[in-house]
Amino acid sequence: MTGPDEYVEVFKPTSGRFLGVVGLLVCAGVVAIGLLDRDSGIGVTSIALAVLVGVLVHGSMLKPVVRATDDELEMVNLFETVRLPLAGVETVAVRQVLAVLVGDKRYVSPAVGRTFRQALRKPRSTRELAMTPVPGEGLVAEEGMNYADFVEDRLRELAAQARSRHRVKLGSSEQAALAAQVVRRPALVQIGLTVLAGAVVVLSLLLG
């Protein structure tokens, strides 16, 4: 299991944090009142629904993160964590979500994205980039640079470095073979809570 010291880059989420915290606090408040105050009028269905919404809010707004070691890209999402070999990354694009292509499969993360308006802008190949190379640190974002642009370029740089270390050419059969090293680990706690809370809501509605 990868430790915090092994990550060479951790990309901060670009949106949804404030709303996620507010939503989670509201859901927690509903559950607390429902459990502690029997006269509140908040029944089992409402408590289960608050748990379900809270789990989904946490998983979609607060949990997602993208981070990289020297050789792997880790994407923590709502219901799973995906680990990708950086040398196997063929393309990287940040639209409304981050999308990475490895082999024939596209892996996405909502942790980094652009607003709808930003996603409609002309392709980056025709935009001026503001990247500064720093010896020993790679690329860093200059003041005023769009963070999504920085993430795109930094991930491409990390992928290129990994390919160079492992002597893997872009588009080669060796790179395609690295798709077999992709690991997808389900978020069992998140999945379990979602299924359980959803089942309680459905049963309560059917029996009520």
Side-chain angles (χ1 to χ4, degrees):
M1 188 173 181
T2 305
D5 292 341
E6 296 182 54
Y7 294 115
V8 297
E9 195 87 39
V10 177
F11 301 100
K12 62 183 181 182
T14 54
S15 63
R17 305 290 290 182
F18 176 75
L19 291 178
V21 171
V22 172
L24 196 60
L25 289 175
V26 170
C27 291
V30 171
V31 173
I33 294 172
L35 293 176
L36 299 176
D37 186 355
R38 298 301 180 95
D39 299 323
S40 64
I42 299 177
V44 174
T45 303
S46 297
I47 293 175
L49 184 59
V51 171
L52 177 60
V53 173
V55 170
L56 295 178
V57 166
H58 175 268
S60 60
M61 294 184 175
L62 301 178
K63 179 185 174 186
V65 65
V66 176
R67 48 201 179 197
T69 66
D70 284 330
D71 292 317
E72 290 186 312
L73 177 64
E74 183 177 77
M75 304 165 75
V76 180
N77 295 330
L78 173 57
F79 291 125
E80 68 174 358
T81 294
V82 183
R83 295 184 66 87
L84 314 165
L86 274 169
V89 172
E90 299 173 23
T91 62
V92 177
V94 179
R95 298 295 181 263
Q96 288 182 283
V97 296
L98 166 66
V100 177
L101 186 67
V102 177
D104 295 326
K105 292 188 177 180
R106 181 172 173 264
Y107 301 90
V108 301
S109 170
V112 180
R114 305 180 192 275
T115 64
F116 181 72
R117 180 177 295 182
Q118 289 173 339
L120 292 178
R121 291 170 64 191
K122 57 187 178 180
R124 295 194 64 221
S125 58
T126 60
R127 295 207 309 266
E128 180 180 357
L129 301 181
M131 301 296 293
T132 302
V134 177
E137 296 184 19
L139 297 174
V140 297
E142 287 188 355
E143 183 178 355
M145 181 185 185
N146 185 286
Y147 186 69
D149 291 347
F150 167 70
V151 173
E152 263 189 1
D153 288 327
R154 182 63 176 139
L155 286 178
R156 288 170 182 165
E157 181 193 39
L158 290 172
Q161 291 173 351
R163 288 195 304 270
S164 177
R165 282 195 303 273
H166 295 283
R167 298 181 181 180
V168 174
K169 292 184 178 180
L170 186 64
S172 66
S173 58
E174 290 83 3
Q175 186 183 42
L178 290 174
Q181 296 182 18
V182 174
V183 176
R184 308 182 76 157
R185 187 173 68 249
L188 298 179
V189 173
Q190 204 101 28
I191 294 172
L193 288 174
T194 300
V195 172
L196 180 60
V200 171
V201 171
V202 172
L203 288 174
S204 298
L205 293 175
L206 291 177
L207 297 176

